Amino acid sequence: MALEAVLNNPDYNLVKANSGEQALARVLEIDFAVILLDVQMPGMDGFETASLIKQRERSKDIPIIFVTAISKEAHFVYRGYEAGAVDYLFKPFDPHILKSKVAVYVDLHRKNHQIKMQAEALRESERRERARQLAALELESLSRYRNLADAVPHIVWKCQVDGTLDYCNRVWTNYTGLGLDQSSGNGWKTAFHPEDLRQLEATWAMATVRGESFETECRIRRQDDKKFRWHLLRAVPEYYAANNVSSWVATATDIHDRKAMERDLIRAKDEAAAANRAKSNFLANMSHEIRTPLGAVLGFAELMANPDQTQAERLHCLATIKRNGELLSRLISDILDLSKVEAGHLQIERVQFPLPDTIVAVVGTLDQTAKEKGITLDLKTAGMLPAKIHSDPTRLRQILFNIIGNAIKFTQKGGVHVEVKYDRPSNKMQIDVTDEGTGIEAAQAEKIFKPFMQADSSTTRKFGGTGLGLSLSRKLARALGGDVELTRSEPGKGSTFSVTIDAGSVDGEVFVQGVQWPLDLKNQRPSAATQSRSLDGIHILLVEDSQDNQVLLTRFLTLAGAKVEVAENGEEGVKKALGGDHHVVLMDIQMPVLDGYQATQQLRQSAFEKPILALTAHALKEERERCLQVGCDDHLTKPVDRKALLDIVASYAQKTMLKAAAVTEDRISVH
């Protein structure tokens, strides 16, 4: 009561304890500024109580003042300080001293409390500042992340484990036309191809279970053209615990052009492999096709050397050799023409020529082949035909030789029927070729128009052929403004091929009824006497390195009355041309020492003005143009057609003689 009276203060909260045990219990509950502790108490005395208070972490710093009536002997006081006391007051105490000492410790407690509060406030302030800085850094990091995601040329997005979209970059928005609002949740799925979306979700689910990244290819619709384009999608998981996926970050890269290129490469590879196989088959067929007539040429030439041969048998051998030689020549021409068509270098001329005569000439040439097989070949017309059309007669003959020749080859009995008609509305000529041959299966109908291809391998084995004729004929016909089509075919009963070409301008042309067939070919052949001496008095220089060609060409020319001088190479040819008096020079191109190009250039540089005719096995248009550029007047190809050779030599020789006569006349006049 006395202590309460002395320490009565509205700012103090006095807590009483009647024993050491109660004091210890109170200390656990309340944070005291100071403890006033008696020494002599029942049970636990003050020294024991003080010692226990100081042993506890919570209460070890509370100041303890002993207030006791015990002896003032020094060892009691020392014991109190050893127990942890800060002061020692004896009863009866001085109230002023007690109040002063308590006030000091209360004030110290308050200041400590203030310091603690200030420290806590400072810590809270620092925590808030750190939180603010972290938030600013996170905001800056997020801004950098978004700027980086917008800068890369790929689609970037982030989504939750269930596929709910949290973020997408501008590339996604610009590509798909879907903003974040439209893409949020599962709205992004609308941009994916349904088939690929199912595959993506299955792959995604498996990767989520495994906690692994994944990649897959899928199609995403582009807003510009509403077309789906292929993308490579890569997704990486983010974890909130070991192997527990919390979210996904994914990118998508447009690979549509790359896939298209890969498909093109694969297709090109397959096409190249198919072309190689076709060309290998073609080479095998070509070997057969070349060796067959070549064998006939060599064999019948050997037969002619037999002295027991009769004149009729020799004539038969000659006819056979000539026919097979012409077959070889056509075969090589087809190959060259096809290569020019494929390269886009085929030249088409548009000239006026008599259509009925051209068709009759082709049919007349092939009629002998049909007769030898025991089948018929007939020609008829439907309606009126223009007497002349504007087109390329050489290419038309080539087409008809191939189509009608094929019909004869595949017909074993019966006949081949050729019908010609003119369609006025379309201004096209149509030639239908119908045979009674093997026919073609429907599945093979388009295949036969591909280069090096025939209906099947058994066709090649049974009938031969290179597989070039129909392909070349169709390309030539299309170049002439028409086409070649298989209009009817029935296995075992025959086929009908229709050839159409543009007739060109037929205004003012005379129309005729039908054609004359069969022809009286005897009346159309020039007499042997007419051809035999057509080069009388003509002097010719033949520059040729091949001994066989020297003999052959010399024989052709001398039989026609010409005088021939031979040079073995270009260098010798230049010397003889400049030193001789020849009307025409026949110049081979490929020769040793000095080739035909160089020899011709040297002659022209030496003011040699007489005709130089290139005579070469190079049949391409480029070779002809090169021959003319270096100074040749014309170009003849080997194997040489005897009549064409004699005609062209006679033509240029006549020009030379007329020019010489004119020069002589001028000299006489001047004299």
Side-chain angles (χ1 to χ4, degrees):
M1 291 177 63
L3 288 171
E4 283 183 321
V6 172
L7 299 174
N8 186 22
N9 188 322
D11 293 334
Y12 293 172
N13 177 26
L14 300 177
V15 179
K16 296 180 289 184
N18 295 324
S19 64
E21 288 82 0
Q22 286 187 0
L24 292 172
R26 296 288 189 272
V27 167
L28 292 174
E29 299 171 357
I30 301 172
D31 183 18
F32 293 102
V34 62
I35 298 174
L36 302 175
L37 184 59
D38 192 12
V39 175
Q40 288 186 329
M41 295 182 292
M44 186 183 300
D45 64 17
F47 297 134
E48 293 175 328
T49 303
S51 179
L52 290 173
I53 290 174
K54 291 300 181 180
Q55 291 177 11
R56 293 178 177 176
E57 185 66 29
R58 177 183 174 84
S59 57
K60 68 179 182 178
D61 294 328
I62 301 174
I64 299 174
I65 301 174
F66 280 112
V67 182
T68 179
I70 198 168
S71 174
K72 295 182 179 179
E73 294 179 5
H75 71 277
F76 281 105
V77 177
Y78 293 152
R79 187 179 176 189
Y81 286 123
E82 288 176 352
V86 296
D87 211 341
Y88 210 107
L89 298 178
F90 295 97
K91 299 174 184 177
F93 53 80
D94 185 332
H96 295 289
I97 294 174
L98 178 63
K99 289 174 66 176
S100 297
K101 291 189 175 184
V102 168
V104 169
Y105 289 113
V106 168
D107 185 57
L108 181 61
H109 178 74
R110 285 175 174 167
K111 289 181 178 178
N112 286 338
H113 183 68
Q114 288 177 354
I115 291 172
K116 288 181 181 179
M117 293 298 293
Q118 289 174 354
E120 182 62 30
L122 181 60
R123 284 194 296 271
E124 178 63 22
S125 176
E126 290 176 348
R127 187 189 64 78
R128 286 198 297 268
E129 179 62 19
R130 285 197 300 272
R132 186 191 66 77
Q133 291 177 352
L134 287 173
L137 288 173
E138 185 176 355
L139 198 61
E140 182 181 0
S141 177
L142 181 60
S143 176
R144 287 179 178 175
Y145 167 78
R146 288 183 175 176
N147 289 338
L148 179 62
D150 288 338
V152 298
H154 308 282
I155 293 171
V156 179
W157 72 82
K158 181 181 179 185
C159 59
Q160 300 176 16
V161 178
D162 61 357
T164 302
L165 188 72
D166 294 330
Y167 166 77
C168 59
N169 68 341
R170 289 181 185 175
V171 180
W172 166 266
T173 302
N174 295 338
Y175 191 89
T176 64
L178 301 176
L180 182 58
D181 293 340
Q182 296 167 299
S183 304
S184 61
N186 291 319
W188 58 270
K189 295 182 179 181
T190 59
F192 281 75
H193 194 285
E195 296 177 4
D196 302 334
L197 182 61
R198 289 191 292 271
Q199 178 65 30
L200 170 61
E201 290 175 334
T203 304
W204 195 343
M206 185 65 68
T208 302
V209 172
R210 296 177 177 175
E212 299 174 346
S213 59
F214 71 93
E215 67 177 43
T216 186
E217 294 180 357
C218 50
R219 285 165 287 180
I220 301 176
R221 184 173 51 241
R222 184 168 62 182
Q223 71 160 342
D224 293 345
D225 51 12
K226 307 302 180 186
K227 292 183 178 180
F228 286 100
R229 292 178 62 85
W230 282 100
H231 286 71
L232 175 63
L233 189 145
R234 292 188 176 97
V236 178
E238 295 182 327
Y239 305 95
Y240 64 82
N243 295 327
N244 290 320
V245 179
S246 61
S247 58
W248 289 89
V249 176
T251 64
T253 305
D254 191 319
I255 59 170
H256 193 84
D257 294 336
R258 189 191 78 188
K259 285 185 71 72
M261 186 179 299
E262 289 174 352
R263 287 195 300 269
D264 291 342
L265 287 174
I266 293 172
R267 183 166 56 250
K269 182 180 177 181
D270 293 340
E271 289 175 355
N276 284 333
R277 289 193 299 271
K279 288 177 181 177
S280 295
N281 293 335
F282 160 73
L283 290 175
N285 296 341
M286 187 62 65
S287 175
H288 173 269
E289 289 301 304
I290 291 176
R291 287 175 179 275
T292 299
L294 188 59
V297 170
L298 296 175
F300 279 93
E302 187 174 352
L303 282 177
M304 286 189 65
N306 188 342
D308 296 332
Q309 288 273 322
T310 64
Q311 183 65 19
E313 289 173 336
R314 290 180 186 277
L315 292 175
H316 174 71
C317 289
L318 287 171
T320 304
I321 291 172
K322 185 175 185 298
R323 184 173 64 254
N324 282 276
E326 292 172 348
L327 177 59
L328 280 171
S329 179
R330 285 199 300 271
L331 181 63
I332 294 171
S333 296
D334 283 350
I335 296 171
L336 295 177
D337 285 340
L338 182 64
S339 67
K340 288 188 283 187
V341 170
E342 296 289 349
H345 296 156
L346 182 71
Q347 297 293 323
I348 298 296
E349 62 177 351
R350 298 283 180 179
V351 297
Q352 189 181 55
F353 66 94
L355 175 71
D357 293 351
T358 300
I359 296 174
V360 167
V362 173
V363 174
T365 302
L366 293 173
D367 184 51
Q368 181 61 33
T369 304
K371 289 178 178 177
E372 290 176 357
K373 289 193 66 175
I375 61 176
T376 60
L377 174 61
D378 60 71
L379 171 65
K380 64 178 182 178
T381 59
M384 303 290 286
L385 301 180
K388 295 182 180 180
I389 64 172
H390 280 80
S391 188
D392 190 326
T394 302
R395 300 305 177 188
L396 177 59
R397 283 194 295 270
Q398 197 171 355
I399 295 169
L400 294 179
F401 268 117
N402 279 324
I403 301 302
I404 300 174
N406 263 3
I408 294 172
K409 179 168 67 175
F410 291 105
T411 302
Q412 301 302 312
K413 59 181 180 178
V416 174
H417 315 283
V418 180
E419 182 178 38
V420 186
K421 53 188 172 183
Y422 171 70
D423 183 59
R424 190 177 293 274
S426 65
N427 191 39
K428 290 186 183 296
M429 297 302 310
Q430 179 173 330
I431 302 101
D432 293 332
V433 180
T434 302
D435 64 65
E436 300 174 24
T438 58
I440 301 169
E441 296 285 348
Q444 306 294 335
E446 192 61 30
K447 178 180 177 182
I448 60 175
F449 287 101
K450 294 181 180 180
F452 315 122
M453 301 294 286
Q454 293 186 336
D456 54 47
S457 58
S458 63
T459 301
T460 304
R461 291 192 301 269
K462 185 175 181 180
F463 296 100
T466 62
L468 292 176
L470 288 177
S471 173
L472 178 60
S473 297
R474 169 172 277 187
K475 293 179 185 296
L476 292 176
R478 288 177 176 177
L480 296 178
D483 204 348
V484 175
E485 297 176 298
L486 175 63
T487 56
R488 179 198 68 86
S489 187
E490 188 174 351
K493 294 187 177 180
S495 308
T496 298
F497 285 86
S498 291
V499 178
T500 56
I501 63 167
D502 182 52
S505 176
V506 294
D507 295 338
E509 288 295 333
V510 176
F511 279 71
V512 297
Q513 178 68 49
V515 293
Q516 180 184 352
W517 180 259
L519 291 178
D520 182 6
L521 299 179
K522 292 181 180 179
N523 296 331
Q524 297 188 2
R525 292 176 183 160
S527 64
T530 303
Q531 292 188 3
S532 61
R533 307 302 298 178
S534 60
L535 301 182
D536 277 341
I538 304 298
H539 291 198
I540 299 171
L541 174 62
L542 174 62
V543 187
E544 170 67 63
D545 64 318
S546 170
Q547 295 290 333
D548 292 336
N549 283 336
Q550 289 176 10
V551 173
L552 177 65
L553 295 172
T554 300
R555 188 62 174 161
F556 280 168
L557 296 169
T558 55
L559 285 174
K563 293 183 179 180
V564 180
E565 184 178 4
V566 177
E568 298 283 347
N569 54 61
E571 185 177 47
E572 184 181 347
V574 171
K575 292 179 181 178
K576 290 186 175 183
L578 295 175
D581 185 18
H582 308 96
H583 296 97
V584 176
V585 176
L586 293 177
M587 181 73 72
D588 187 24
I589 294 299
Q590 192 167 332
M591 293 184 296
V593 184
L594 196 68
D595 66 27
Y597 299 124
Q598 297 168 324
T600 301
Q601 286 178 320
Q602 288 189 14
L603 286 172
R604 294 311 185 197
Q605 291 170 1
S606 301
F608 185 82
E609 297 180 353
K610 294 180 180 179
I612 302 175
L613 309 180
L615 189 62
T616 175
H618 297 299
L620 294 177
K621 175 178 177 290
E622 294 80 2
E623 296 295 338
R624 173 182 174 83
E625 291 177 350
R626 185 180 175 187
C627 290
L628 298 179
Q629 287 174 358
V630 298
C632 293
D633 294 274
D634 216 324
H635 178 270
L636 288 169
T637 58
K638 299 175 183 178
V640 177
D641 180 275
R642 178 173 173 272
K643 182 179 183 304
L645 173 66
L646 298 182
D647 288 345
I648 196 170
V649 168
S651 173
Y652 279 99
Q654 185 178 13
K655 292 178 182 178
T656 302
M657 289 188 291
L658 289 174
K659 185 176 181 181
V663 171
T664 302
E665 185 176 346
D666 289 342
R667 288 176 179 174
I668 293 173
S669 300
V670 171
H671 180 71

